[in-house]
Amino acid sequence: MDGFGPLGFTPESLAQESLRFQSKLRAGLDTLHQVHDIDYGATAREEVWRDGKVVLYRFRGERAPTAKVPLLIVYALVNRPYMVDLQGDKSIVRGLLERGEDVYVLDWGYPDRSDRYLELEDYIQRYIGGAVDHLRREYRMEEVNLLGICQGGAFSLCYAALNTHKVRNLVTMVTPVDFHTADNMLANWTRGLDVDLFVDTLGNVPADVMNWCYLTLKPWRLFVQKYVGLVDVLDDAKALEDFLRMEKWIFDSPDQAGEAFRQFVKQFYQGNGFIKGGVDIGGRTVDLRNLDMPVLNIYAEQDHLVPPSSSKALAGLVGTDDYSEVSFKGGHIGIYVSSRAQREVPMAIHDWLSQRSR
């Protein structure tokens, strides 16, 4: 016998763990007094274009960009885009700027009841299209580089397929393409949703409903484990600030414009439109075979929201011969904020774009 019994602990070890836990809690009270309002963003930015609540920001690095073609980042609707510039040591934007890219980010804002009837055409052709056209005018060029992330990647695929003459290079990151893969739990849930009843009842879809859906995909990890782990950093002010900043991002979620939500669920989650056809944006059919520009697809190997199988389906759908894939050893959130991501992701994007500059 090793003295620990069948459960692997003794009364003495339990007492020691209890004392450690109490010590951490006492230290946490002092640490919380040191933590002020948690803000986000590491990089200077300026508003350069606006359409209603939607704003285009240009980000400024410590040196002037060397890239001749601007890079427009399009994020998902369900979370705020400051995930790509969360803090100084967790910023995809900063990594791109340091490598000479000229970075713009589209901020969707917070939809309210006046946006209830916005459609996918508004988000894709009006807002992304408006931002692209602004950059084309400012830089006096026909094409810009486009980086779409998650749902923003699906939007970017649609935009680029419908406006091939305006996109020079297309990068997609953790982007769902095949919505009916067996390992896509979120898609399996959504296929059974009566989305007409859902939207007709709620109007805009509340952010809390969306957050609950995402959190319940990993209930133990996201409801219990991470908060138990919080105890370990209660005496570390910086680590606690990092934790709170991430929590702020998770729960700082906009409502979803009802009509656009209805269309996205029907055409993508239920209809699997990229694979089966039937994606209609303002009366125009999206065909990914029209994508004749270079395409880089980055996916996360442990992604529970967009499984690799969903993202990698893009390879067989595009019309270009210049298609590349990069895998990242991490999850859907880690691809933005982990130390590995800061080393690998901006460099992969920059190197790929540099090889195709002309």
Side-chain angles (χ1 to χ4, degrees), residues 310-349:
S310 173
S311 184
K312 293 172 67 176
L314 183 61
L317 300 175
V318 297
T320 181
D321 293 328
D322 188 353
Y323 173 86
S324 307
E325 283 182 355
V326 171
S327 64
F328 172 78
K329 293 182 180 179
H332 193 81
I333 302 302
I335 201 169
Y336 315 112
V337 299
S338 71
S339 56
R340 179 194 297 271
Q342 308 313 306
R343 296 191 305 269
E344 296 180 3
V345 175
M347 180 62 75
I349 294 171

Side-chain angles (χ1 to χ4, degrees), residues 61-63 88 93-101:
E62 296 180 357
R63 62 187 181 94
V93 164
R94 174 169 285 191
L96 290 167
L97 290 170
E98 289 174 349
R99 290 162 176 83
E101 297 299 330

Side-chain angles (χ1 to χ4, degrees), residues 157-172:
L157 287 170
C158 293
Y159 179 81
L162 295 173
N163 304 273
T164 57
H165 60 292
K166 296 183 180 182
V167 179
R168 182 168 300 187
N169 298 292
L170 175 63
V171 182
T172 54

Side-chain angles (χ1 to χ4, degrees), residues 7-67:
L7 298 180
F9 56 79
T10 65
E12 291 79 10
S13 66
L14 284 176
Q16 291 174 2
E17 181 61 24
S18 177
L19 289 173
R20 188 190 74 84
F21 184 78
Q22 293 176 40
S23 176
K24 286 282 187 178
L25 290 179
R26 286 195 298 270
L29 294 176
D30 294 332
T31 306
L32 286 170
H33 286 298
Q34 303 172 30
V35 175
H36 303 289
D37 289 342
I38 302 299
D39 206 356
Y40 59 85
T43 311
R45 65 179 188 174
E46 60 178 326
E47 179 181 327
V48 297
W49 175 84
R50 174 185 290 266
D51 183 345
K53 299 179 180 69
V54 179
V55 180
L56 178 64
Y57 290 103
R58 186 183 191 184
F59 284 74
R60 301 283 190 179
E62 296 180 357
R63 62 187 181 94
T66 56

Side-chain angles (χ1 to χ4, degrees), residues 125-138:
Q125 295 288 59
R126 174 181 168 187
Y127 297 136
I128 297 177
V132 168
D133 287 343
H134 169 81
L135 295 176
R136 293 169 68 231
R137 289 191 300 269
E138 288 295 305

Side-chain angles (χ1 to χ4, degrees), residues 30-337:
D30 294 332
T31 306
L32 286 170
H33 286 298
Q34 303 172 30
V35 175
H36 303 289
D37 289 342
I38 302 299
D39 206 356
Y40 59 85
T43 311
R45 65 179 188 174
E46 60 178 326
E47 179 181 327
V48 297
W49 175 84
R50 174 185 290 266
D51 183 345
K53 299 179 180 69
V54 179
V55 180
L56 178 64
Y57 290 103
R58 186 183 191 184
F59 284 74
R60 301 283 190 179
E62 296 180 357
R63 62 187 181 94
T66 56
K68 301 303 181 184
V69 181
L71 175 64
L72 171 60
I73 298 178
V74 178
Y75 201 74
L77 299 177
V78 295
N79 287 110
R80 301 286 290 135
Y82 60 79
M83 174 53 74
V84 296
D85 187 48
L86 191 63
Q87 60 190 60
D89 58 347
K90 297 177 180 179
S91 173
I92 297 296
V93 164
R94 174 169 285 191
L96 290 167
L97 290 170
E98 289 174 349
R99 290 162 176 83
E101 297 299 330
D102 194 358
V103 181
Y104 292 78
V105 176
L106 197 59
D107 187 331
W108 302 114
Y110 295 88
D112 57 29
R113 285 184 294 177
S114 67
D115 303 306
R116 161 72 174 79
Y117 294 102
L118 287 176
E119 298 186 351
L120 290 182
E121 181 185 14
D122 292 297
Y123 284 103
I124 292 168
Q125 295 288 59
R126 174 181 168 187
Y127 297 136
I128 297 177
V132 168
D133 287 343
H134 169 81
L135 295 176
R136 293 169 68 231
R137 289 191 300 269
E138 288 295 305
Y139 287 79
R140 298 182 181 179
M141 59 178 54
E142 291 301 312
E143 304 165 317
V144 303
N145 293 330
L146 192 58
L147 166 56
I149 299 174
C150 191
Q151 183 190 32
F155 285 3
S156 297
L157 287 170
C158 293
Y159 179 81
L162 295 173
N163 304 273
T164 57
H165 60 292
K166 296 183 180 182
V167 179
R168 182 168 300 187
N169 298 292
L170 175 63
V171 182
T172 54
M173 197 162 102
V174 291
T175 293
V177 176
D178 184 348
F179 286 76
H180 286 184
T181 58
D183 53 353
N184 193 330
M185 186 181 297
L186 183 61
N188 284 319
W189 283 1
T190 310
R191 265 186 273 175
L193 174 69
D194 186 340
V195 68
D196 288 325
L197 178 62
F198 191 72
V199 172
D200 291 345
T201 302
L202 295 174
N204 287 345
V205 181
D208 288 344
V209 172
M210 299 297 296
N211 266 334
W212 180 260
C213 291
Y214 294 128
L215 292 173
T216 51
L217 290 173
K218 281 191 171 184
W220 169 252
R221 172 71 184 90
L222 298 177
F223 281 118
V224 179
Q225 190 177 29
K226 74 171 180 178
Y227 295 113
V228 172
L230 172 62
V231 175
D232 290 328
V233 302
L234 282 177
D235 55 353
D236 184 333
K238 183 182 183 306
L240 182 58
E241 286 184 2
D242 291 351
F243 179 90
L244 294 175
R245 188 174 289 108
M246 180 63 72
E247 288 293 284
K248 179 177 181 177
W249 174 79
I250 290 173
F251 293 102
D252 180 16
S253 298
D255 295 343
Q256 300 293 293
E259 199 58 36
F261 179 87
R262 186 202 311 266
Q263 292 175 346
F264 193 76
V265 169
K266 282 189 171 183
Q267 296 192 44
F268 292 90
Y269 278 106
Q270 295 179 344
N272 203 18
F274 282 148
I275 302 296
K276 297 181 178 180
V279 175
D280 180 284
I281 306 299
R284 298 178 63 191
T285 299
V286 172
D287 186 345
L288 297 187
R289 290 175 296 183
N290 291 336
L291 295 174
D292 56 359
M293 73 287 295
V295 175
L296 171 64
N297 187 25
I298 304 173
Y299 63 90
E301 295 178 7
Q302 286 79 47
D303 195 331
H304 70 291
L305 290 175
V306 182
S309 57
S310 173
S311 184
K312 293 172 67 176
L314 183 61
L317 300 175
V318 297
T320 181
D321 293 328
D322 188 353
Y323 173 86
S324 307
E325 283 182 355
V326 171
S327 64
F328 172 78
K329 293 182 180 179
H332 193 81
I333 302 302
I335 201 169
Y336 315 112
V337 299

